[in-house]
């Protein structure tokens, strides 16, 4: 199973980006999907999760600005990020819970300039 993220880049504070993640390979059934991020010198942190039936949860720091969504038929998960702040700068990782294992993408870099 592979998870491949896309959509990262450089954006000014207040701007928007949309991250996408596609799962491929021997996919059986994906349970929860999530986005994590890791800023330089910091631990990886949970940004948002979404269950297979669409229930979402967000870190307090992104509530009201980020929206997670998924397409179960296409095995994709997206993260719409609005009103970005310099503190949002990080490598963003896609995560999938499948067959009682955690699968990770290699990450996509988001840089927010002030």
């Amino acid at each position: 199973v592979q998870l491949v993220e896309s959509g990262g880049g450089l954006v000014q504070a207040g701007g928007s980006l949309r991250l996408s993640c596609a799962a491929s390979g021997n996919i059986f059934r994906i349970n929860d999907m999530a986005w994590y991020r890791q800023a330089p010198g910091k631990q990886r942190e949970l940004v948002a999760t979404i269950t297979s039936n669409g229930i979402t949860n967000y870190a307090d720091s992104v509530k009201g600005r980020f929206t997670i969504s998924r397409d179960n038929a296409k095995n994709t998960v997206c993260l719409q990020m609005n009103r970005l702040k310099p503190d949002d700068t990080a490598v963003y990782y896609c995560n999938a819970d499948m067959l009682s294992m955690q699968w990770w993408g290699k990450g996509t870099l988001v840089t927010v300039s002030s």
Side-chain angles (χ1 to χ4, degrees):
V1 175
Q2 283 189 321
L3 299 178
V4 179
E5 303 97 337
S6 61
L10 174 63
V11 64
Q12 288 188 331
S16 299
L17 280 176
R18 184 175 179 83
L19 305 183
S20 297
C21 172
S24 62
N26 293 323
I27 297 171
F28 176 57
R29 184 181 68 183
I30 301 175
N31 296 316
D32 292 359
M33 300 189 81
W35 287 95
Y36 287 73
R37 67 186 182 187
Q38 186 167 17
K42 295 186 177 181
Q43 290 187 330
R44 190 173 298 190
E45 63 175 0
L46 178 64
V47 175
T49 63
I50 185 167
T51 66
S52 57
N53 55 11
I55 297 172
T56 59
N57 192 32
Y58 297 92
D60 287 343
S61 59
V62 306
K63 279 181 182 177
R65 300 188 298 122
F66 290 11
T67 302
I68 188 171
S69 60
R70 68 187 283 176
D71 185 329
N72 291 332
K74 296 181 179 179
N75 296 314
T76 58
V77 62
C78 293
L79 185 68
Q80 177 66 42
M81 306 185 293
N82 299 327
R83 291 185 282 135
L84 283 160
K85 305 175 181 179
D87 284 349
D88 295 319
T89 294
V91 177
Y92 284 71
Y93 297 91
C94 176
N95 170 272
D97 175 10
M98 185 178 70
L99 297 174
S100 298
M101 293 178 62
Q102 298 296 315
W103 303 86
W104 294 90
K106 293 183 178 180
T108 185
L109 177 62
V110 172
T111 303
V112 184
S113 63
S114 57

